[in-house]
Amino acid sequence: MGYPYSHEKEVRLISRGFGDPAARTLDGWKAMGGYEGLEKALEVGPSGVIDEVKASGLRGRGGAGFPAGVKWSFMPEKGERPHYLLCNADESEPGTFKDRELIRWLPHQLIEGCLIGSYAIGAEHCYIYLRGEFFETTQVLARALEEAYAAGYVGENILGSGVTIDITLHVGAGAYICGEETGLMNSLEGRRGLPRVKPPFPAAAGFFKSPTTINNVETLSVVPHLLTNGGEWYRQWGTEKSPGTKLFCVSGHVRKPGNYELPLGFPMMELIEDVCGGIRDGNELKAVIPGGASVPIMNVSDCLECSLDYEGVAKAGSMLGCASVIVMDETTDIVKQVRRLVQFFSHESCGQCTPCREGTTWLTRILSRIEDGRGTEQDLDTLLDLGEQMTGTTICVLSDSAAAPVASSIQKFRDEYLALIRRGERVGAA
Amino acid sequence: MSDSKQSVPFRNPGWAGNTGEFELTEEQVRGDDFVGTRPPDGGHPSVSTSYPYMKVEKEPDAPLFEGAYQQRFEKILSRYPDRQAALLPVLNLAEELRGHVSAGTMDEVAKLLDLPDAYVRGVVTFYTMYNRQSVGRHLIQVCTNVSCNLCGGDEVLAAFLEHTGTEPGEISEDGNFTVIEVECLAACGFPTAVQINSRYFENVTPQDVPPILERLKAEVAASSDSGS
Ligand SMILES: Cc1cc2nc3c(=O)[nH]c(=O)nc-3n(C[C@H](O)[C@H](O)[C@H](O)COP(=O)(O)O)c2cc1C
Ligand code: SF4
Ligand code: FES
């Protein structure tokens, strides 16, 4: 079920069990068909697992949308160095709140996904990297993992198959950049979470220079279902290029914010107007950020025809990202919200690359100046120019992410910037 | 923006769950069973290592590590390819015990893990969850990032500061509270999200702030009564 609200249009594959405290336990998960996927995986072998995941077309849910089965097939044959699966549970993209729900309602679903993923890539050890703030969430997962160890699903000789897979919970300490895959690896090695230059890619030399695959919580949570039902089954939902269902995290000015599991390709306006009960107070829609804080902002006309799949959102000029739909109504002060976002990126920049370190600071300063009514029209050109220099020039894409909302908001809501600059007028201010 | 909550149809002061569609109790969503209690000392080493748990009573002078903490420290070491990789969990453990990670604590941890002092300091300063100074019994972190901000996060932050009589980062006179701003807590559908020690409080409005503070004070009183 969706949580904290549900809707009849939802297709509940990975969210079945949200809001049901019984689903957290091993018995509860088994009653829902749990650990059948693992048994199936052990029957068909690692390459069989990869084939099913490839057939499903499942794309990574951590933001980039790279096909999971293809990623797994990049892993080399077993050699001297151990293989690792890392599960990315660092969820800290503003607007995104799905991984926490997946873990706290269905911890065994994730554990099963980690086991199948590890088996497929030949890893005997999987680390789940949780963001430091998730104490409660980690506690739920810890209890489930304890149960799974005791029941012989995790550890040595799983279900008598001779396969060994350990899963260790690792908790971070508060840094958005540790969600970036190579930053996460550094952090897990006990370093500052600085992203690494690629290549080498993780499949060649990742965690402790060993072949490593990294996947998001939601990606791994889908995997057990693909084994139980077959990869093709997943394609009955979604589009040709974006198959399956996705958790949409809707926040901001809708009547019913929350997580909704819907087929990819679902119309954006139907999500806002129907599933989420429309805009609060009967207000008008003004803007949407469709994929979490790092993607371009959309105005109403971009939203009208937009379908929520990777291609559909790209066509509308933005990115699906992690499908974190942030909805803003007519009372929103766009300049303030963009400044707040850029301030976030400035705080979270790891500081390795000059365009990012300096650029995020400058963007914040100039936006604050405009917000205070002390900006000039020239500032808008400076912002756009800075944004361009920050795009495609750095080790990771945090820099691009910081520039995206600025450039798109100037393009789409220029009037609002100009009003502030010319008359010091501000939308939504008392 | 103060009207921003009016149309949100459900209101549980401080936690999200019972929306009319879900007949859940607070206990079922975030009961003491798994929230606010200390992580288990025993159990499998993969599971019971270290979570960044913030206790109400901190012991800044406690030794690193003795008794149950020593056992947990050793379990942590057993889960990683080398000692350096255990650094974050060990720092988490030190912070749980002492409430903050002072320069002295950093050096002690460096010794425990055979790492250079400067290296450990470099790592500690990279991460925001290591308090380098002591904080109140309850560390209140208010999210003011975009989703919460749209629904009044700034007002909630202001209310916490007002009712505790503090500036950001200060310890209140009674030693109970420190209030700071925090980046997105991954609870954006339940604005405003507030983390207090290890617990999430959700759907917090300025009006909820006084009762939440009362609840926290009662917990402080209860914990000093029981002598722990
Ligand atoms: C700055 C930055 C932050 C990121 N944060 C996260 C995150 O919190 N969680 C996540 O799963 N992926 C995050 N990613 C994406 C990861 O780098 C990686 O692509 C993803 O975990 C791969 O998993 P997937 O293939 O299953 O999507 C982030 C990327 C960047 C550049
Ligand atoms: S782009 Fe920014 S966050 Fe990414 S590596 Fe460079 S400085 Fe660090
Ligand atoms: S924006 Fe406040 S929890 Fe995400």
Side-chain angles (χ1 to χ4, degrees), chain A residues 109-288:
Chain A
Q109 180 172 259
L110 176 62
I111 293 169
E112 187 175 351
C114 289
L115 290 167
I116 299 172
S118 301
Y119 178 63
I121 63 164
E124 295 199 339
H125 207 144
C126 165
Y127 291 90
I128 304 181
Y129 186 107
L130 295 125
R131 67 176 289 180
E133 287 82 355
F134 280 176
F135 171 81
E136 298 165 316
T137 317
T138 308
Q139 187 88 326
V140 173
L141 185 57
R143 293 199 174 215
L145 189 53
E146 196 81 70
E147 273 184 306
Y149 261 109
Y153 289 106
V154 191
E156 278 170 34
N157 192 15
I158 293 172
L159 301 177
S161 62
V163 175
T164 294
I165 300 167
D166 272 306
I167 298 179
T168 296
L169 305 185
H170 178 96
V171 183
Y176 166 69
I177 197 60
C178 294
E180 197 280 337
E181 53 189 18
T182 54
L184 187 148
M185 287 168 200
N186 272 338
S187 179
L188 196 57
E189 290 178 15
R191 304 169 192 274
R192 299 162 77 100
L194 306 176
R196 300 174 183 172
V197 180
K198 289 184 266 190
F201 290 95
F207 181 54
F208 278 106
K209 299 200 174 67
S210 297
T212 304
T213 294
I214 178 158
N215 279 119
N216 173 255
V217 168
E218 188 182 353
T219 314
L220 290 168
S221 295
V222 175
V223 167
H225 304 278
L226 303 182
L227 269 293
T228 312
N229 302 292
E232 277 298 323
W233 161 89
Y234 195 58
R235 289 190 170 271
Q236 62 184 294
W237 301 282
T239 68
E240 174 62 29
K241 288 187 172 157
S242 303
T245 62
K246 174 87 191 69
L247 280 178
F248 288 90
C249 316
V250 192
S251 65
H253 295 150
V254 289
R255 287 207 178 89
K256 297 179 169 185
N259 277 294
Y260 297 93
E261 186 173 358
L262 294 162
L264 281 157
F266 198 83
M268 162 101 79
M269 291 312 287
E270 201 175 331
L271 174 69
I272 296 172
E273 300 286 337
D274 183 17
V275 177
C276 298
I279 308 289
R280 64 166 192 186
D281 301 336
N283 287 352
E284 294 292 322
L285 177 66
K286 179 174 189 174
V288 172

Side-chain angles (χ1 to χ4, degrees), chain A residues 1-6 18-19 21 24 84 91-97 100-101 104-105 125 127 129 131-136 138-140 142-143 145-146 149 166-175 177-178 187-194 207-208 250-253 255-257 280-281 326-328 332 336-337 340-341 344 347-348 350, chain B residues 1 3-10 16-19 21-22 24 28-30 33-40 42-44 46-53 79-82 84-85 87-89 92 119 121-123 125-130 144-147 149-151 154 181-191 195 198-200 202:
Chain A
M1 266 184 274
Y3 179 85
Y5 299 100
S6 55
F18 278 21
R24 281 185 188 133
Y84 291 104
E91 182 163 65
S92 25
E93 176 84 13
T96 313
F97 53 104
R100 173 171 172 249
E101 299 296 306
R104 71 170 176 160
W105 293 113
H125 207 144
Y127 291 90
Y129 186 107
R131 67 176 289 180
E133 287 82 355
F134 280 176
F135 171 81
E136 298 165 316
T138 308
Q139 187 88 326
V140 173
R143 293 199 174 215
L145 189 53
E146 196 81 70
Y149 261 109
D166 272 306
I167 298 179
T168 296
L169 305 185
H170 178 96
V171 183
I177 197 60
C178 294
S187 179
L188 196 57
E189 290 178 15
R191 304 169 192 274
R192 299 162 77 100
L194 306 176
F207 181 54
F208 278 106
V250 192
S251 65
H253 295 150
R255 287 207 178 89
K256 297 179 169 185
R280 64 166 192 186
D281 301 336
I326 307 170
V327 180
M328 306 183 192
T332 307
K336 176 185 176 193
Q337 295 308 331
R340 184 64 189 81
L341 279 180
F344 164 76
H347 180 253
E348 302 296 338
C350 82
Chain B
M1 281 207 202
D3 66 341
S4 57
K5 291 307 276 194
Q6 277 170 13
S7 61
V8 176
F10 65 99
N18 193 353
T19 58
E21 281 183 42
F22 291 90
L24 294 169
Q28 286 173 305
V29 178
R30 38 168 287 172
D33 194 23
F34 58 91
V35 176
T37 51
R38 299 191 49 179
H44 194 281
S46 259
V47 177
S48 72
T49 51
S50 108
Y51 320 179
Y53 183 69
R79 303 317 299 158
Y80 297 93
D82 73 6
Q84 176 186 301
L87 179 55
L88 265 65
N92 288 341
Y119 176 83
R121 290 186 188 212
V123 171
T125 51
F126 187 82
Y127 296 94
T128 52
M129 282 178 61
Y130 298 124
T144 58
N145 211 309
V146 60
S147 303
N149 203 300
L150 289 169
C151 300
D154 285 343
E181 205 174 343
V182 74
E183 296 297 358
C184 176
L185 290 168
C188 326
F190 315 109
Q195 183 176 22
S198 308
R199 251 180 312 185
Y200 271 36
E202 298 164 331

